[in-house]
Amino acid sequence: MRIIDVEQGSQAWLDARVGVLTASTFDMVITPKTGKPSAQASKLAYQTLAEEVLGRALEDASSGFMQRGTEMEEEARRWYEFEREVEVARVGLIVRDDGKVGCSPDGLVGEDGGLEIKCPSAAVHLGYLLGGVADEYRCQLQGSLWVTERDWWDFLSYCPGFPPVLVRIARDEDFIGKLATCVDEVLATIETHRATLRDMGLLQESSLTLSEALAQARAA
């Protein structure tokens, strides 16, 4: 496991994620309720390869992440630190040693935990308050636990005007095992397609993503 020191939401962060399967996309790898491969796995493989061919992220630093209410997220993080009496460590991108799989936590807590913050609409937050946290984040949370090798992850939904929703998620080794298998299948598919793209002249034999290049440099 390695931490790439880039600011989340920056262009450097987007560049570091090129060619990396991240926890935020794991719901395209595995179906949370069944633990079986997702029908969207092929789409994710194509997206990943398209970024490698172009040498850049398919989104830019002004879209997506930067529009999600950074100030509110920081307020939520301060609330969490006060509530739990802890300090949250900010990190950029965490990847496996091979640089192929990673996650971008909203924070690391101590030696064993992590934090995922959502600042949804009032209606979505109310749903969490009344009905609990949906399965939709299971892949991301368990994936983050897998990548970081930590024991628990706190999910925080924060919406002004409502009580925060804070739930601690423990490691699910059975699900993580199934996730790892599905991720390996997607990586194998990507590698097969890479060979075809090299034959077409769209990728060079030596083409490496930033995370893979850093992994090789670290191993040298």
Side-chain angles (χ1 to χ4, degrees):
M1 183 190 76
R2 295 176 296 110
I3 296 178
I4 299 177
D5 188 17
V6 288
E7 181 183 353
Q8 288 194 28
S10 68
Q11 192 60 50
W13 176 76
L14 290 171
D15 291 342
R17 288 159 54 97
V18 170
V20 180
L21 297 184
T22 61
S24 60
T25 64
F26 284 171
D27 59 346
M28 299 177 69
V29 173
I30 187 172
T31 304
K33 289 185 178 180
T34 65
K36 296 180 179 179
S38 170
Q40 298 187 75
S42 293
K43 180 180 178 181
L44 177 60
Y46 295 149
Q47 289 177 354
T48 303
L49 287 162
E51 291 188 335
E52 290 188 35
V53 170
L54 295 173
R56 60 174 176 79
L58 296 182
E59 58 179 326
D60 59 45
S62 65
S63 64
F65 185 96
M66 299 301 290
Q67 303 298 321
R68 56 177 274 189
T70 305
E71 291 184 4
M72 189 179 296
E73 181 182 306
E74 186 57 39
E75 181 180 328
R77 188 177 289 103
R78 289 195 299 270
W79 177 89
Y80 174 86
E81 290 180 321
F82 179 80
E83 176 71 15
R84 292 293 200 203
E85 297 183 343
V86 296
E87 290 186 7
V88 175
R90 303 290 299 276
V91 294
L93 176 66
I94 301 177
V95 294
R96 291 193 323 197
D97 286 339
D98 62 5
K100 295 179 179 179
V101 180
C103 66
S104 295
D106 289 327
L108 297 179
V109 186
E111 297 296 323
D112 302 316
L115 175 65
E116 180 64 30
I117 299 172
K118 301 297 182 185
C119 299
S121 68
V124 171
H125 180 83
L126 189 61
Y128 297 150
L129 193 63
L130 296 176
V133 178
D135 250 359
E136 62 186 297
Y137 296 118
R138 187 182 187 191
C139 301
Q140 182 179 5
L141 298 174
Q142 291 297 330
S144 296
L145 286 166
W146 172 41
V147 172
T148 62
E149 302 174 359
R150 292 190 167 230
D151 295 329
W152 54 264
W153 215 264
D154 278 347
F155 175 91
L156 171 61
S157 180
Y158 189 85
C159 181
F162 294 91
V165 175
L166 180 58
V167 180
R168 177 155 295 183
I169 307 297
R171 287 178 68 93
D172 182 339
E173 297 294 353
D174 180 63
F175 184 82
I176 287 175
K178 293 175 181 177
L179 172 62
T181 297
C182 291
V183 166
D184 285 343
E185 290 176 359
V186 175
L187 290 174
T189 298
I190 289 174
E191 191 54 45
T192 298
H193 290 326
R194 273 182 182 150
T196 302
L197 292 171
R198 289 181 185 123
D199 290 341
M200 296 170 64
L202 292 175
L203 278 177
Q204 300 299 314
E205 188 67 34
S206 60
S207 294
L208 295 173
T209 67
L210 175 59
S211 293
E212 289 174 331
L214 289 172
Q216 286 198 6
R218 182 172 181 264

